[in-house]
């Protein structure tokens, strides 16, 4: 199935879900009794979760344009850095060594003066929030970690041999896991409080206690996972790269919109994710 760039979610996603559901047997006649086996009790996968919670209207292209350009700018930088890793280590998998190396490529956390300036930008954006924007950002915050990217890959798996599709599923899972691991390690080391920690009024529902230091937000886990997924998926399906990049921009903008991150958090996370995507492609011979 091909997604046209001009068609936006949720219409695309609904079409994807219908095809995916049919493929995996989710669309059953009402007269068929659901099985009571252990398999039926498994937690729902990404396709089913998004089917149960479909996307609302997302942000416009104009709203996400700047953050999309910032993310795209990290691509050449990441490729040049990864070429250095590859020249030294080849394409053998060594997650532990790569994680140490990749963490060192992420710039040091910005100084307090810069973070203060970026916090003001987030505060200004928060004043423009609407119920529709909050709904979109909340959905992206929830599903932008993994499920969106798994659903994109599922769509492509319908068109390739089952063995290849299963292998690529595991490879994407590995990339997403590595992105979480490294970004969490860096966040714990750099200890940069999230914007809503610095200004609890940005997310009162978080109930941040006075004097709290975390959660920490540099680099962004959402950005790292999104970039790793986009790099990986774009190599598998270059004709759909623009769709993946558009969705990444949606996810990143949602993190600014809901004060989870400032821009530098997202840029650093994107660079890290691009490196991870390059690594996963290389070690799997793509």
């Amino acid at each position: 199935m091909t997604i046209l760039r001009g068609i936006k979610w949720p219409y695309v996603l609904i079409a994807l879900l219908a095809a995916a559901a049919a493929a995996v047997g989710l669309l059953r006649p009402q007269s068929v009794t659901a099985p009571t086996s252990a398999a039926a009790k498994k937690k729902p996968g990404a396709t089913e979760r998004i089917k149960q919670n479909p996307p609302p209207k997302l942000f416009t292209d104009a709203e996400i344009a700047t953050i999309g350009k910032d993310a795209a700018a990290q691509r050449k930088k990441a490729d040049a850095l990864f070429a250095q890793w590859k020249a030294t280590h080849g394409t053998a998998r060594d997650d532990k060594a790569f994680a140490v190396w990749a963490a060192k490529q992420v710039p040091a956390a910005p100084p307090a003066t810069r973070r203060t300036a970026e916090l003001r930008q987030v505060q200004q954006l928060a004043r423009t929030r609407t119920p529709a924007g909050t709904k979109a950002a909340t959905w992206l915050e929830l599903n932008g970690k993994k499920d969106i990217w798994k659903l994109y890959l599922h769509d492509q798996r319908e068109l390739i041999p089952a063995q290849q599709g299963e292998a690529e599923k595991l490879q994407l899972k590995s990339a997403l896991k590595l992105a979480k691991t490294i970004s969490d390690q860096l966040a714990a080391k750099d200890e940069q409080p999230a914007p809503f920690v610095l200004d609890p009024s940005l997310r009162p529902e978080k109930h941040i206690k006075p004097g709290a230091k975390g959660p920490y937000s540099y680099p962004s886990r959402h950005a790292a996972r999104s970039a790793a997924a986009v790099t990986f998926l774009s190599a598998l399906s270059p004709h759909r790269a623009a769709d993946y990049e558009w969705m990444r921009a949606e996810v990143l903008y949602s993190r600014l919109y809901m004060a989870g991150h400032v821009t530098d958090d997202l840029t650093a996370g994107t660079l890290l994710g691009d490196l991870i995507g390059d690594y996963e492609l290389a070690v799997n011979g793509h």
Side-chain angles (χ1 to χ4, degrees):
M1 182 185 301
T2 300
I3 297 181
L4 300 178
R5 179 65 183 92
I7 300 176
K8 294 294 188 287
W9 290 36
Y11 309 108
V12 166
L13 186 56
I14 292 171
L16 286 180
L17 287 171
V24 298
L26 292 174
L27 299 181
R28 294 193 178 95
Q30 293 184 354
S31 60
V32 177
T33 303
T36 57
S37 63
K41 298 179 181 180
K42 291 197 311 182
K43 292 183 179 180
T47 300
E48 182 64 16
R49 285 193 292 270
I50 294 182
K51 182 185 177 185
Q52 294 171 355
N53 178 27
K57 182 179 179 181
L58 302 185
F59 297 106
T60 66
D61 285 356
E63 289 174 302
I64 66 175
T66 299
I67 196 64
K69 290 179 180 178
D70 290 344
Q74 301 305 305
R75 176 73 266 154
K76 290 184 178 179
K77 183 177 180 181
D79 287 346
L81 287 171
F82 185 73
Q84 299 174 17
W85 164 270
K86 190 174 179 181
T88 303
H89 297 81
T91 58
R93 178 177 286 280
D94 188 344
D95 289 0
K96 184 175 181 180
F98 173 77
V100 173
W101 175 84
K104 292 179 180 178
Q105 311 314 307
V106 177
T113 53
R114 180 176 174 86
R115 197 162 186 87
T116 298
E118 290 194 324
L119 174 62
R120 286 197 291 269
Q121 294 173 350
V122 171
Q123 291 168 327
Q124 183 176 2
L125 180 60
R127 289 194 285 271
T128 70
R129 286 181 192 160
T130 64
T134 299
K135 186 175 182 180
T138 301
W139 188 90
L140 289 160
E141 182 177 353
L142 174 65
N143 295 283
K145 297 176 183 178
K146 296 183 293 184
D147 285 354
I148 288 172
W149 313 113
K150 289 181 177 181
L151 183 59
Y152 271 129
L153 182 62
H154 183 279
D155 180 44
Q156 290 302 295
R157 287 172 60 202
E158 298 301 306
L159 306 175
I160 59 179
Q163 186 175 4
Q164 178 186 343
E166 189 62 27
E168 291 175 356
K169 175 183 176 181
L170 294 175
Q171 292 161 16
L172 176 61
K173 182 178 180 180
S174 174
L176 293 172
K177 181 179 180 180
L178 197 55
K180 177 183 184 301
T181 297
I182 302 175
S183 57
D184 283 355
Q185 291 172 349
L186 284 170
K189 177 177 73 70
D190 290 325
E191 295 187 343
Q192 297 294 307
F196 65 78
V197 175
L198 297 173
D199 180 0
S201 70
L202 293 170
R203 294 290 295 273
E205 77 280 7
K206 292 288 188 180
H207 304 294
I208 300 299
K209 295 180 180 179
K213 296 182 179 180
Y216 301 123
S217 66
Y218 184 89
S220 164
R221 183 195 301 174
H222 274 80
R225 282 176 157 174
S226 295
V230 168
T231 298
F232 181 78
L233 293 171
S234 295
L236 301 184
S237 304
H239 62 289
R240 295 187 61 186
D243 295 308
Y244 304 143
E245 291 166 2
W246 169 73
M247 180 52 69
R248 175 179 62 190
E250 288 279 350
V251 172
L252 298 187
Y253 185 76
S254 76
R255 307 306 293 130
L256 291 176
Y257 194 88
M258 294 305 292
H261 294 283
V262 295
T263 301
D264 278 338
D265 299 341
L266 301 174
T267 302
T270 299
L271 176 64
L272 174 61
D274 283 340
L275 291 172
I276 292 168
D278 281 342
Y279 172 73
E280 197 64 40
L281 289 168
V283 298
N284 288 290
H286 291 289

